[in-house]
Structures are given as structure tokens and as C-alpha cells.
Amino acid sequence: MSENKLLYKKMSLEELVVLSQKDDFKALGELLKRIQKEVYATLAYFAKNDENVYDLTQEVLLKIAKNIHTLKKPKCFKRWLNQIITNTYYDSLRKTKKAPELIYIDCNENSPDFSLKIEITDTKGKPVEKCITAECENMIKSAIRQLPEPFKIAIILREFQGLSYDEIAKTTNTSVGTVKSRIARARIKLQEVLKNYI
């Protein structure tokens, strides 16, 4: 690995953003490489159709590359990124003119319409354990995908992106109280569904 590449790998996200805004294409390449798995993972929880996740991930990365100059505060990159992910997902829903299937959080936990998938990473598990782990992962993903859109977005941004309540409120244009309520209700429903598996 060249010394130049190593230099970019050691940089913080904010440093890469600043250099990308100055048309440093190597910094932009490293930035996109660093965030692509996170973008894909987030969209995998949003989208029910796995085939769309690849396309949406590419679309988000392209938007980042094209619009990096519009970001006024490089330290706010994560919030800006999550706003782009959320908007891209909603744009895709509008384009397909397909309303998402919703399961209301107050529905009966035994409802046949509510399925759940779980994601647990076990790198040292035996084949049987890995099979169970994959099943759990699928259960968690499915359950999160079935949450009503506002709850799903709030829980993903909090649990998988690590955003604060305030950051989620700004990203979703809601109040902190609304965010806390949505996350609490989503967690309760997910705990109810997962209690037999964990």
C-alpha cells in the first residue's frame, strides 16, 4: 500500500470531507469507501426488496459525491448523510407509487401479519449455530421492516446509526419528544416479538 493511501486511511471522516470539498478525489474515494457498508446496512433495514438496496446505495453514494460541496459544516456530515439516505429511500417509494405496508405498533403481537427477523453476528459459531444466527438475523430485519415508517426510521437511526435524539429530530423534522416516543414504542414491540428468541 502506498504511503499516500495510508495517509488517507488514517484521516478522520471530517478531514476527508474537508479535502473532498476541495476537489481531492482520493479523499472523496476513501470517504465513499468508508461509508458504503454503513449506507448499505441502513438501507437494508428500510427496503423490503433486497434487490433495491444495491441501487439505492449507489444512488446515495452518487448524491454524496455530487453534493459534498453543499455541506456547510463538515462536522455535521453524519447527520447530512442520514438525511440523504432517508430522502433517497422515500423518493424511491414515491417513484414506485407504492405505499409501504404498515403494521401499527398497537396491533396484537400474535397477529399473523407481523413477522420479525433478528441479526446476531457469530463469527466462531458451529454450522448449526450459524444457521440459527442467520435465522435470527432475518427475523430482526423483517420485524424492523414491518414497523410503521416513522418508527422504523427512528429506531434505525438510533440503534444502527448511533444518532442522538436531537440529531434524529433534526433529520426527521420532528420534536425530540416525538422521536423518544417513536423509539420507545418501536422497542417495546420488537421486544415483545423477540422475547421467544432472546
Side-chain angles (χ1 to χ4, degrees):
M1 183 181 295
S2 72
E3 196 173 311
N4 206 13
K5 277 188 179 179
L6 193 58
L7 177 69
Y8 286 108
K9 284 193 173 294
K10 290 182 177 180
M11 288 183 181
S12 70
L13 216 54
E14 188 176 336
E15 289 172 316
L16 289 172
V17 170
V18 170
L19 288 175
S20 298
Q21 290 179 322
K22 295 177 180 175
D23 294 325
D24 184 331
F25 295 110
K26 289 182 182 177
L28 180 61
E30 176 62 29
L31 176 67
L32 296 177
K33 185 178 177 184
R34 200 175 290 184
I35 64 169
Q36 68 183 355
K37 286 183 182 175
E38 181 180 330
V39 171
Y40 179 86
T42 303
L43 288 166
Y45 280 94
F46 282 147
K48 289 185 180 183
N49 183 348
D50 288 334
E51 293 171 14
N52 292 341
V53 176
Y54 293 105
D55 292 336
L56 291 174
T57 300
Q58 292 304 316
E59 193 175 332
V60 167
L61 295 176
L62 186 60
K63 285 179 181 178
I64 297 293
K66 282 184 175 179
N67 299 301
I68 193 75
H69 296 93
T70 66
L71 178 61
K72 292 186 171 122
K73 296 180 182 176
K75 65 181 179 182
C76 296
F77 175 76
K78 289 286 262 184
R79 190 173 81 212
W80 183 70
L81 169 63
N82 284 304
Q83 186 70 56
I84 290 174
I85 292 170
T86 305
N87 289 343
T88 302
Y89 171 66
Y90 276 124
D91 287 346
S92 76
L93 288 180
R94 280 191 286 275
K95 283 177 191 172
T96 57
K97 295 181 181 177
K98 230 176 172 182
E101 293 177 25
L102 299 180
I103 300 294
Y104 293 98
I105 204 73
D106 298 324
C107 75
N108 183 338
E109 70 180 77
N110 297 319
S111 168
D113 296 326
F114 195 91
S115 61
L116 182 64
K117 295 186 179 179
I118 299 178
E119 180 170 332
I120 301 172
T121 304
D122 181 8
T123 55
K124 297 180 182 177
K126 296 175 183 174
V128 173
E129 293 168 338
K130 287 183 181 179
C131 183
I132 293 169
T133 297
E135 182 183 344
C136 288
E137 176 180 332
N138 289 334
M139 291 177 70
I140 286 178
K141 275 187 182 174
S142 178
I144 290 174
R145 287 174 176 172
Q146 295 301 321
L147 289 171
E149 289 298 319
F151 299 158
K152 176 168 62 173
I153 287 172
I155 199 84
I156 289 171
L157 293 178
R158 178 68 178 167
E159 300 300 336
F160 298 100
Q161 295 295 322
L163 269 64
S164 68
Y165 292 121
D166 188 52
E167 289 171 325
I168 297 169
K170 287 175 183 171
T171 299
T172 58
N173 295 318
T174 55
S175 70
V176 172
T178 299
V179 169
K180 287 182 178 179
S181 172
R182 287 175 178 174
I183 290 172
R185 293 176 73 191
R187 283 177 178 162
I188 288 168
K189 178 49 67 179
L190 291 172
Q191 285 172 355
E192 286 173 358
V193 177
L194 294 172
K195 66 184 176 187
N196 294 328
Y197 298 94
I198 298 178

